[in-house]
Amino acid sequence: MRRFIALLGVPLLLIAACARPDATGPGGPGGPADQRWEAFQRRADVVAEAWRTAAGRPQWQAGYAPLQSLTVLPADPGFTPETEQAFLAGWFRSEVPVPGERPADGTVTFPDGTLSVPVVSAAEAYAAIDQGDPPPCPTDDPVRPGPDPTGSTSGGPDTSVTHSLPMTGCAGLTVTGVTLGTVELLTSRGTAQVPAWLFEVAELDTAVARVAVDDSVSIPTPSPQVAAPDGLTDFVVTQDLTGVDGSDLGFRLGVGACDSEITPFVQEYTDAVVVSGGVVRSGDACTDQLLLHPVTVTLDEPLGARTVLDALTGTPLHVVTAG
């Protein structure tokens, strides 16, 4: 299952090799031919070094640190507008018993090893996805009389012609089965197979998976100490990742309403990938708002266990997903 869909109009950029052996950078727009590249490269070096010396980084990259939502859809759910709304709102109801006993410890399988972890009960996992009941449906009869097509008030066709009213925003998702299995999850050590409770849902084409690893084993994300950027006025902050699939990397840039020529910048290292976006600022008055602009790039090598860092803040980035 691919974790993101490339948007129309957003080009995939091919990352070309840089001169240094430990880093690579993009060619074309956002690459060495771009006059902004040298300033970005210098900043990327600073951020990557700050990450290498960040307190807690070795433990974070050797332990269990999820980099996406713990509620996962393993396959295409076949959403309708109503079921997507119910999923995002957490409107679930169960028609089957949800066990409250904790099972034996499980195993997280990373690309470079395994880790034994405590596993929560199905009831604990269900409580994490169930955010309550949907609002009540309208109390009126969902069908109502329609007008007499002839306009007659007597002696004409039956005036009780009915028209269905839309019944959106009041339906929940029905859990019909619960099993303990595994699910793919992006972590600080790459994509791992993680214990998860799989909730079969009548209205969806796939189960809703909730990671079953106890939160107590999750290692907090380190915060690199990096100085404020200097001279990068035409760059914007990366807000989050939208998906990782091998060498393909999607992320969202926080741009202004009047920014134009939005261009992703990427610098690869052996232990990290630094990203940002270059923009052309408008000299005209503009509304003060933040817009999320998705971009996708292709790296020289699969991301693997490398950490993706924002060039302006130095922050490690997580995948934003529903749930």
Side-chain angles (χ1 to χ4, degrees):
M1 171 184 169
R2 295 178 69 86
R3 294 187 181 86
F4 68 90
I5 300 174
L7 300 183
L8 294 176
V10 180
L12 283 174
L13 302 181
L14 179 63
I15 311 304
C18 184
R20 293 175 305 167
D22 68 330
T24 58
D34 193 308
Q35 61 182 356
R36 297 167 295 183
W37 169 248
E38 185 176 345
F40 168 75
Q41 189 179 58
R42 288 196 301 269
R43 179 62 181 181
D45 288 346
V46 170
V47 167
E49 183 59 30
W51 172 244
R52 296 186 185 106
T53 59
R57 184 192 63 83
Q59 296 84 354
W60 191 73
Q61 292 191 304
Y64 168 73
L67 295 183
Q68 68 179 85
S69 167
L70 302 183
T71 301
V72 181
L73 294 170
D76 185 351
F79 277 140
T80 65
E82 293 77 17
T83 57
E84 183 173 21
Q85 180 183 14
F87 173 76
L88 295 174
W91 295 335
F92 290 88
R93 57 175 177 267
S94 181
E95 290 186 345
V96 296
V98 181
E101 302 79 20
R102 285 195 168 196
D105 287 356
T107 301
V108 176
T109 303
F110 302 99
D112 62 351
T114 61
L115 179 68
S116 179
V117 293
V119 174
V120 302
S121 68
E124 291 171 277
Y126 182 70
I129 67 170
D130 181 20
Q131 302 302 308
D133 296 326
C137 293
T139 56
D140 296 338
D141 191 327
V143 293
R144 63 187 176 195
D148 180 349
T150 67
S152 171
T153 58
S154 63
D158 185 356
T159 59
S160 62
V161 176
T162 58
H163 301 271
S164 296
L165 294 176
M167 298 292 288
T168 60
C170 64
L173 299 176
T174 309
V175 174
T176 58
V178 184
T179 57
L180 182 61
T182 62
V183 72
E184 270 195 0
L185 192 76
L186 184 66
T187 74
S188 59
R189 294 168 64 177
T191 300
Q193 288 291 330
V194 179
W197 287 103
L198 308 177
F199 296 95
E200 298 294 332
V201 176
E203 296 83 0
L204 301 181
D205 295 340
T206 186
V208 174
R210 179 69 187 187
V211 171
V213 180
D214 190 284
D215 288 341
S216 63
V217 301
S218 297
I219 299 175
T221 303
S223 298
Q225 300 300 309
V226 58
D230 182 26
L232 296 180
T233 56
D234 292 331
F235 286 84
V236 295
V237 172
T238 310
Q239 303 296 312
D240 47 44
L241 304 178
T242 55
V244 178
D245 186 11
S247 299
D248 291 339
L249 179 67
F251 51 97
R252 296 193 299 180
L253 302 169
V255 303
C258 298
D259 291 341
S260 62
E261 298 184 34
I262 302 165
T263 306
F265 280 70
V266 181
Q267 174 80 1
E268 295 186 57
Y269 301 86
T270 56
D271 55 353
V273 173
V274 181
V275 297
S276 187
V279 298
V280 173
R281 306 290 189 186
S282 171
D284 301 327
C286 190
T287 58
D288 185 14
Q289 58 182 307
L290 179 71
L291 303 178
L292 299 180
H293 184 87
V295 295
T296 56
V297 296
T298 300
L299 305 175
D300 272 347
E301 299 177 357
L303 180 65
R306 292 183 292 174
T307 302
V308 183
L309 306 167
D310 170 57
L312 298 193
T313 65
T315 303
L317 299 171
H318 291 57
V319 174
V320 58
T321 54

